[in-house]
């Protein structure tokens, strides 16, 4: 109501940002804090530390919004080449149990030639199935289609480009 009555008052926008923050609506909190900072500067706010603090606030809210918006999760499953089909089914089931927030679309890369990230401890020459789970089904399907799509092969193309 206070923003409607006086839309150029920066403190009202800061209060709105605080409300959004307490509701865990971080992207809206960041937007309100950005508006507050712009209004403060436009109103020729003379206290430099105030504008810096407002800027730090909206940057923190932006970071929090990004942290909350993770749209996928990953699981690496060791496998042997001979039982890939069963391992894919098992990996999908395990993923659903471990990551219930990311089951709108589950996709295990059928190629199974993944190595663990650098920071993870792994055995030499061990291959892993990579299972991805998505909060958004459309995003998951798009990723799956781009990974499994067959690319055209042109005569004379070097072998390294075919794979």
């Amino acid at each position: 109501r206070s923003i409607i009555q006086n839309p150029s008052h920066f403190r009202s926008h800061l209060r709105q940002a605080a409300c959004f923050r307490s509701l865990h609506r971080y992207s809206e909190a960041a937007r309100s804090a950005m508006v507050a900072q712009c209004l403060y500067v436009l109103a020729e706010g003379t206290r430099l530390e105030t504008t810096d603090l407002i800027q730090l606030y909206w940057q923190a809210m932006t970071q929090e919004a990004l942290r909350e918006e993770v749209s996928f999760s990953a699981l690496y499953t060791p496998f042997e080449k001979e039982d890939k089909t069963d391992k894919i089914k098992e990996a999908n089931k395990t993923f659903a149990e471990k990551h219930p927030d990311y089951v709108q679309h589950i996709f295990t890369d059928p190629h199974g030639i993944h190595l663990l990230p650098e920071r993870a401890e792994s055995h030499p020459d061990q291959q892993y199935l990579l299972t991805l789970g998505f909060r958004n089904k459309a995003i998951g399907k798009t990723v799956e289609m781009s990974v499994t799509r067959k690319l055209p092969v042109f005569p004379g193309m070097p072998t390294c480009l075919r794979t």
Side-chain angles (χ1 to χ4, degrees), residues 12-145:
S12 297
H13 291 276
L14 274 179
R15 288 183 187 113
Q16 183 183 47
C19 290
F20 281 137
R21 179 176 176 241
S22 66
L23 293 170
H24 303 283
R25 293 166 57 181
Y26 301 111
S27 59
E28 293 164 296
R31 184 201 57 208
S32 294
M34 285 182 210
V35 170
Q37 182 190 18
C38 288
L39 291 173
Y40 182 78
V41 171
L42 289 173
E44 297 179 13
T46 56
R47 298 183 63 190
L48 188 58
E49 63 272 1
T50 301
T51 190
D52 288 346
L53 287 172
I54 297 171
Q55 182 177 357
L56 287 173
Y57 186 75
W58 67 254
Q59 287 173 344
M61 291 302 98
T62 301
Q63 288 300 316
E64 196 64 35
L66 291 173
R67 188 175 13 260
E68 292 288 316
E69 287 300 319
V70 175
S71 61
F72 75 96
S73 187
L75 175 72
Y76 289 89
T77 308
F79 84 104
E80 302 299 323
K81 289 187 181 207
E82 63 271 0
D83 63 350
K84 190 186 293 188
T85 305
D86 292 336
K87 270 297 200 187
I88 287 174
K89 290 178 184 174
E90 184 183 322
N92 288 346
K93 182 180 176 193
T94 302
F95 183 92
E97 292 169 358
K98 289 187 175 188
H99 305 282
D101 293 340
Y102 300 92
V103 295
Q104 289 299 314
H105 185 79
I106 299 175
F107 166 66
T108 298
D109 184 5
H111 299 36
I113 55 172
H114 298 280
L115 301 175
L116 288 179
E118 288 180 24
R119 287 178 252 125
E121 213 176 289
S122 65
H123 302 290
D125 302 323
Q126 174 68 57
Q127 292 185 349
Y128 294 85
L129 290 173
L130 173 61
T131 304
L132 299 173
F134 297 86
R135 287 186 179 183
N136 182 311
K137 190 172 189 170
I139 293 172
K141 284 190 174 284
T142 302
V143 170
E144 181 176 356
M145 285 175 39

